[in-house]
Amino acid sequence: MADALSQTFAALADPTRRAILARLARGEATVNELAGPFDMSLPAVSKHLKVLERAKLISRSRTAQWRPCRLEPETLKTVDGWLGDYRSLWEHRLDRLEGYLATLNTEEKEEQK
């Protein structure tokens, strides 16, 4: 079985699943409500929901006959934290490159005088 982060990225790789998450960011919705904007069958939408559920990006509850889906933001926070580590690394590297280029630019201007 893939690690949780790999499973999350695999789930996020599909544009339909990202659109479903965007809809759930506005609040709970049923499978029928989620299927509305897509040109696909309910079983196809259900498969997408199962992938999102396995990745712990959504959860489903049961209230009588109503089974709403809801976004689970903790998993996205984990992804954001992982990306944040790399964001910090690259910002630091780009800051160093910017400093180096500024030094070269200053040296070049001094040579032209």
Side-chain angles (χ1 to χ4, degrees):
M1 184 167 147
D3 66 281
L5 192 59
S6 296
Q7 203 168 23
T8 301
F9 278 119
L12 293 171
D14 185 274
T16 299
R17 292 193 283 267
R18 291 192 306 270
I20 290 170
L21 291 175
R23 166 54 188 88
L24 290 174
R26 297 191 321 254
E28 293 181 352
T30 64
V31 175
N32 284 334
E33 291 168 337
L34 293 171
F38 303 108
D39 186 25
M40 64 177 69
S41 67
L42 284 177
V45 172
S46 288
K47 285 183 182 182
H48 283 293
L49 293 174
K50 285 177 187 171
V51 171
L52 292 169
E53 199 169 16
R54 277 195 306 272
K56 296 183 176 33
L57 289 163
I58 68 165
S59 63
R60 294 195 244 189
S61 61
R62 181 178 292 252
T63 308
Q65 294 298 320
W66 196 57
R67 289 199 64 195
C69 299
R70 74 176 48 85
L71 186 65
E72 293 296 335
E74 286 304 313
T75 303
L76 291 172
K77 288 178 185 176
T78 301
V79 171
D80 186 52
W82 184 84
L83 290 172
D85 294 341
Y86 287 94
R87 187 180 306 115
S88 296
L89 171 75
W90 281 104
E91 285 174 354
H92 175 71
R93 287 181 178 179
L94 290 172
D95 288 345
R96 285 180 42 211
L97 176 60
E98 184 179 31
Y100 176 70
L101 292 174
T103 301
L104 288 179
N105 192 23
T106 301
E107 290 173 1
E108 185 179 305
K109 286 181 180 178
E110 288 177 5
E111 287 177 4
Q112 290 176 356
K113 288 183 179 179

